[in-house]
Every structure is written in structure tokens, then in C-alpha cells.
Amino acid sequence: MSIPAAGPARSIISSPYFTSLITVFLLLVLLVAGGAAYPGFLSVQVLFNLLIDNAFLLVIAVGMSFVILSGGIDLSVGSVLALTTMICAYMLQTWHLPPLLVIGIALALGTVFGAAQGALIHYFKLQPFIVTLAGMFLARGLCYLISINSITIDDPFFVAMSQTQLPIGDCFISPGALIALVTLAAAIYVAHCTPFGRAIYAVGGNEQSALMMGLRVARTKVLIYAFSGFCAALAGVLFSFYMLSGYGLHAQGTELDAIAAVVIGGTLLSGGYGYVAGALTGVLVLGAIQTLIAFDGTLSSWWTKIVIGGLLFIFCVVQRVMTMRANKK
Amino acid sequence: MFVQHPIFRSLAALAILLLIDLIMVPGFFHLEIKDGHLYGSLIDIANRAAPLILAAIGMTLVIATRGIDISVGATVAISGTVAAMLVGGTMVTNNGTPEYVANTPMWLALAAAMGAGLLCGAWNGALVAGLGLQPIVATLILMVAGRGLAQLLTDGQIITVYYQPFFFLGSGYLFGLPFSLYIVAAVFIVTALLMRKTALGLFIQSVGINPVAARLAGLKTAVLIFFVYVFCSACAGVAGLMITSNIKSADANNAGLLLELDAILAVTLGGTSLAGGKFNLAGSVIGALIIQTLTYTIYSIGLPPEVNMVVKSVVVFVICVSQSAEFKTMWRRAFPAARGGKAQ
């Protein structure tokens, strides 16, 4: 890519979706390489399993995309996920509330939690990093206040959701994965086809200008964090379907996985640039690496971390080189 | 006015915590000398806070340049692992008495561990200063991969150390005080002198306030930023040695877990803004002491340990909000008579 491109090649390179294209290309390379190395890797079910196993991460990454597009960051999502699994498990097992009510309450609590963080960030002009960091401690701490042990969920509805297999051709997909895809589709619509979505990009591009343009910056920012909290809670519900338990240690470090997925998906951390759909490619890349390592079987779990770190490095460097070129023009 | 000094609020917070301890914990301020060593809760808190203080000192400079280093915990794990692997300790029988000897001379092991820490810093520094990546992304890479590397070195095992002199670093006593306190004091004094008596502190501040202006004014901003990340990792490296020596083993998975977040909290509690520019080294030390005292208080007044994180986060929210300019304006509007008074 160091060779200066001419003609149509240049227009592709300088187009805003080029970084996202690189990600898709890299994902295909990963999958083809996996298929060549391990027979059975490229079966449709393995691809569906990527979605099934990472449904919760996809939902979190969708919420995180909005936050990052607006120039912020949300470190509390992993803890809110854990807190949601805990709340669901506690209300189901101790209070025996109907499952749909439990899910409704959990989603509402997550949204309120996010909105409160957004309000603190906007009205007190605090750093998103520090507010959501404190939020991360708060949500994790609340998990342990509920219980320090893991709570098993045996509610029939949750068990049914975890065991249902929706057939697609010869293969199947889980309800959780379907919910994640619907969330993604809704988020893509909101980000690219509604005034709210345009306001997010405007705030991420330059908050001052957005304010001067007469956009409702305060409402947008609070809503973004509320949406991220909602997504984290929804991911928590999906995670409880998946794990059938609530535990304060669930999903540790997921916030960083989500940030990595969004960054790999082509969204710039400085905000205002990228696509919500990038969250899907980012999550699939992370999932594909993990599946590759699982298929290999000889690599130890720590190689996963090293490879993810290496890949993140490559992406950041490519992105950086791209932006430097764009700025030079 | 002293009341308006940024460090006042953190000192006040620490004083309030100590006051609670004075009332709630019997014998909190009691110090006694046993076998020539000083014992007591205060010493205990300072000793336990030592690695956090070190990490916070390094983090202060990084944050002063508008950066952030979230790879501190991974650096701790790497340097601790390298030291533990090299020191190790095997039992040999010397004239009939069993004796533990180090695998490699200890100075070599310590140097290698520090070298590994510096390498981590150089990597972060190269990504931030050389490539111009955003600090949080650049250090996220090492944060993700660093623990993996440490686990790769140890093959996923916890490495135990059996070499007596190595333990001195984390749990030894010198002139009646824990040795770790001397290390912390030395690092703090050297850093403070560098910042106050040389122009380095001013340079770092100007990079934090406006990197472009600093560069146009002739500062080598890239070199400065690189140095700051190397320094931060060096501090983390020492903290890693201290933690490894204290628990007599290296655990690549858990050593220094979430230390970076605690360090960032300590810096913020100390009154340094995450937006870069002005920084306050002494404030960061106090911030680290606040965090450790808070933990100690929660444990000793009999609250369940689970409450720790909730209380910590609430304290952070309160301190952050009370430090914000918006809060001060609101306060003044609500209580016009208190104008000029302290906003608390």
C-alpha cells in the first residue's frame, strides 16, 4: 500500500469505507486460510457458531460503536453485562418473577445506568473514561452485593431459549444470535437513516460545531450512553441464555474486546468516522481467530491473546497510515 | 490560598478517611516496635500501597502529556514473570544443610526484568510517539497481548521463588521500616526533582496543554512522549518486582490485575486532570494512599469485602463531580454567600 495508487484505485483508497473493506478482506483471508488448514472449518455451521458464541459481544459492540462514533468510550459495559446476569438470576431464582418481566426490568436498569453515566459526562463535563471506569467498579461491586457466588438459572423460558435451535437449511442458529442480528440491523438503520444517527456523527466529528449547528448535543450524548447501557443489559440477557447462570465474574474484560472489535471494524476512536456494521466484522474477526486456535488444538489459550494483540496492532497501524495519507491530500 | 490548592481536596479526603478510622478502628494509630521493626496499621497501609504509588507516579507523567497507559498491569506481569523465572531458586545441599540458590545471579535477574519493563515502555512509546496512535489503543495492544506473553514464558504455570534475598525487595525491613517504602521514596524524590529542578516538568506540561504549539515552539515532543511511556513502564516494572517478591511467586494471569485502573483513579483523585497539562505528583501519591486506606477501612470496620468496589466507585464519583468546574458554578449559584469558600 506504500505505492501511490492512481485512477480508480486511488478513489477506492481514499473512500471512507476503505478501512472497513480491509477488515472484510482480512476476515475472508482468515476464513480461507482456516478452511485450507483444517477440513470442516469452512462449513456453514462453523460460521453460524461464530455468531452463536459471540452474540453477546456483537450486541455490546453495537452499543460501543455509537459511543465511539460520538468520540466517547464506555468501559462499564462488561460489568453491566455481569450485573444483568446477576439481576436476572436473582429475580428468577429468589423472587420467581415471570421471565419476560425480569428481562424488561433488567433492560430498563441497564438503560438507566447508561443514561446516568451520560448525564454525568455531559452536565459535569467529566471524562467519559473516568466516569465509565467508576461505573465499571460500581456495577461489578453491585454484582457481589447481590451474591458472591454463581447463581444457576433453571427457569423454563431461559432454558428453552438456550436450547432452541432455529433451523436454516441444514444448519441452525440460536435465538440469541437472531436477537443480536436484529439489534445490529436496527442500529445500522438508526445510525445511517435517522436525524439521531446524523447527530451522533456530528458530535463525534466536532462537538462545538454540532452545538453551533443547533443540534441537541446534551440529549444526543445522554441517549448514546443510555443506548450503550441498554445494549450491555441486552447482552447480559443473551449471556444468561447462553450460560444459564448469573455470576459477578462473568465477561471480565469484555469492554476491551468490544472496543477492539469496533476498532478492528474500522471505526476511529477519535469519533465521527466509521460504520456500525464494522462491529459485526470486528466481532467475526475476533471469533474467527479464536475458532482457528480452537481448531488447531495445539496452541495454548495465551496464544489467543497474543494473536489478538498482534492483529489489533496491524489494524491500528494500517488505519493510522491511511489517515496520515488522507490528511496529506 | 491553601484551601484552593488542588492538593487540598485530596488531603482532606484522606484526612476524613483517617478520622473515620480513628473513631471506628481501635488502635488504628498505634505503632509498636517488634524485633526492631515498626509495626502498625499506618505502616501496613503504606507498605501495601507501594506498588500502586509507583504505578501512579509513572501514570501521572503519561496523563500529563494527555496520554493514558492501560498496559501497566500487563507490564507488571511481564517484569514479575521474568524476575521469578530467572531467580527461581533450587535447593542444593551444602555440607549437609539444605540451601536455596538462585538460577541466575539476582542482579542479572533484576536487570533483565527491568529490561523487559523498559522494552514494554519502548513499544508503547514507539506506537504513541512514532506512529501517532491514540494512547488508549496503542497501550490496549500490550494490555491484551502482554499477559499472553507472560503466560507464554511460564507455560501458563505460576512460578514460585525460593530465594531468600529476593524477598527483601517486597517484605524486607531497613532501619525499622519496610524496604519498599525506601524504593517508593527514592522514585518519588528523583521524579519530583527531575520535574521541579529541570525544565522537563515544564516541557511535559506544555506537551499536555497543546502538543502542536509545543512542537512549533521547538520542543522535541516525540522524544518527550516516548520518554514518558518508558518511564511509566519502568515504574510498573519496579512495581512488578515488588509484587512478585511480596507474594514469592509470579502469576502471569493475576499479578497487577486492574492495577492500571487503580493507578488512573489515584492520579485523578490526586487532582490531575485527564485532559493533560497540569499535573501533581504528590497528589497522585495521596490518591494511591486514599485508595489503599479506603480498602483497609472497609475491611477493618467489618463491612463485607464485596462493598469495597461499590464504596470505591461512589467515592470516585463524588470526588470527580466535586472537582468539576460545573459543580463549582452550580454551588456558587445555589449559595451565593459562600462565594470564595471551599466548594465541597
Side-chain angles (χ1 to χ4, degrees), chain B residues 3-19:
Chain B
V3 174
Q4 277 157 351
H5 195 274
I7 212 167
F8 174 78
R9 241 182 290 268
S10 1
L11 268 178
L14 186 60
I16 291 171
L17 271 179
L18 290 175
L19 202 67

Side-chain angles (χ1 to χ4, degrees), chain A residues 134 148 256 269-270 305 320, chain B residues 131 134 137 143 151 306 313:
Chain A
I148 49 170
L256 294 169
L269 267 165
S270 43
K305 297 180 189 171
R320 181 63 199 157
Chain B
L131 272 170
Q134 286 185 71
V137 200
M143 184 198 191
Q151 280 177 309
E306 302 91 72
S313 54

Side-chain angles (χ1 to χ4, degrees), chain B residues 63-128:
Chain B
I63 289 179
T65 63
R66 256 191 216 183
I68 202 144
D69 185 350
I70 55 171
S71 70
V72 167
T75 310
V76 161
I78 289 178
S79 82
T81 304
V82 169
M85 282 182 73
L86 291 180
V87 172
T90 30
M91 195 176 70
V92 291
T93 318
N94 192 7
N95 294 333
T97 47
E99 211 173 64
Y100 286 109
V101 291
N103 296 351
T104 11
M106 199 171 93
W107 65 269
L108 201 67
L110 295 186
M114 284 310 294
L118 291 175
L119 218 58
C120 292
W123 164 264
N124 285 336
L127 290 190
V128 178

Side-chain angles (χ1 to χ4, degrees), chain A residues 255-269:
Chain A
E255 51 280 335
L256 294 169
D257 284 344
I259 295 172
V262 173
V263 170
I264 290 178
T267 303
L268 280 189
L269 267 165

Side-chain angles (χ1 to χ4, degrees), chain A residues 63-74 204 224 258-259 262-263 267-273:
Chain A
M64 187 70 84
S65 296
F66 277 42
V67 176
I68 291 181
L69 280 175
S70 79
I73 200 140
D74 190 349
I224 287 167
I259 295 172
V262 173
V263 170
T267 303
L268 280 189
L269 267 165
S270 43
Y273 182 98

Side-chain angles (χ1 to χ4, degrees), chain A residues 13-306:
Chain A
I13 286 177
S14 54
S15 72
Y17 49 81
F18 183 64
T19 331
S20 310
L21 276 181
I22 296 180
T23 315
V24 175
F25 174 71
L26 194 96
L27 177 63
L28 290 178
V29 169
L30 256 180
L31 292 178
V32 170
Y38 311 107
F41 184 83
L42 268 186
S43 73
V44 182
Q45 188 57 53
V46 170
L47 297 183
F48 279 164
N49 282 346
L50 274 184
L51 264 183
I52 294 171
D53 294 337
N54 293 298
F56 70 97
L57 185 58
L58 177 59
V59 174
I60 281 200
V62 165
M64 187 70 84
S65 296
F66 277 42
V67 176
I68 291 181
L69 280 175
S70 79
I73 200 140
D74 190 349
L75 293 177
S76 69
V77 286
S79 307
V80 172
L81 187 162
L83 183 59
T84 310
T85 66
M86 216 57 192
I87 289 172
C88 287
Y90 187 80
M91 287 199 289
L92 287 172
Q93 302 303 116
T94 314
W95 294 349
H96 304 286
L97 293 180
L100 284 178
L101 180 65
V102 167
I103 292 174
I105 294 174
L107 292 182
L109 286 178
T111 313
V112 170
F113 191 92
Q117 291 188 126
L120 274 178
I121 291 167
H122 183 77
Y123 291 109
F124 291 102
K125 300 232 164 23
L126 298 178
Q127 298 262 335
F129 191 91
I130 205 75
V131 170
T132 55
L133 181 63
M136 167 185 172
F137 280 122
L138 181 63
R140 269 292 166 211
L142 290 175
C143 289
Y144 296 121
L145 280 190
I146 296 175
S147 165
I148 49 170
N149 296 316
S150 154
I151 307 174
T152 315
I153 299 174
D154 58 8
D155 177 82
F157 177 76
F158 274 62
V159 174
M161 286 301 264
S162 90
Q163 287 170 351
T164 308
Q165 300 181 340
L166 307 170
I168 298 178
D170 297 339
C171 306
F172 68 87
I173 195 166
S174 72
L178 199 66
I179 294 173
L181 288 177
V182 170
T183 313
L184 177 73
I188 291 176
Y189 173 77
V190 169
H192 302 298
C193 307
T194 64
F196 175 59
R198 284 191 287 278
I200 295 174
Y201 278 91
V203 169
N206 189 334
E207 194 176 325
Q208 206 63 42
S209 325
L211 200 63
M212 287 175 177
M213 272 158 67
L215 291 176
R216 288 195 273 180
V217 174
R219 197 188 75 138
T220 310
K221 275 174 85 176
V222 173
L223 272 181
I224 287 167
Y225 286 94
F227 180 69
S228 177
F230 169 81
C231 282
L234 182 60
V237 172
L238 298 187
F239 203 74
S240 344
F241 290 162
Y242 187 72
M243 300 290 278
L244 285 181
S245 70
Y247 191 26
L249 282 177
H250 270 333
Q252 269 198 320
T254 304
E255 51 280 335
L256 294 169
D257 284 344
I259 295 172
V262 173
V263 170
I264 290 178
T267 303
L268 280 189
L269 267 165
S270 43
Y273 182 98
Y275 296 93
V276 174
L280 177 65
T281 34
V283 167
L284 287 181
V285 166
L286 290 185
I289 295 171
Q290 260 154 17
T291 313
L292 265 180
I293 289 167
F295 259 75
D296 185 89
T298 60
L299 285 179
S300 324
S301 68
W302 43 87
W303 274 108
T304 323
K305 297 180 189 171
I306 298 176

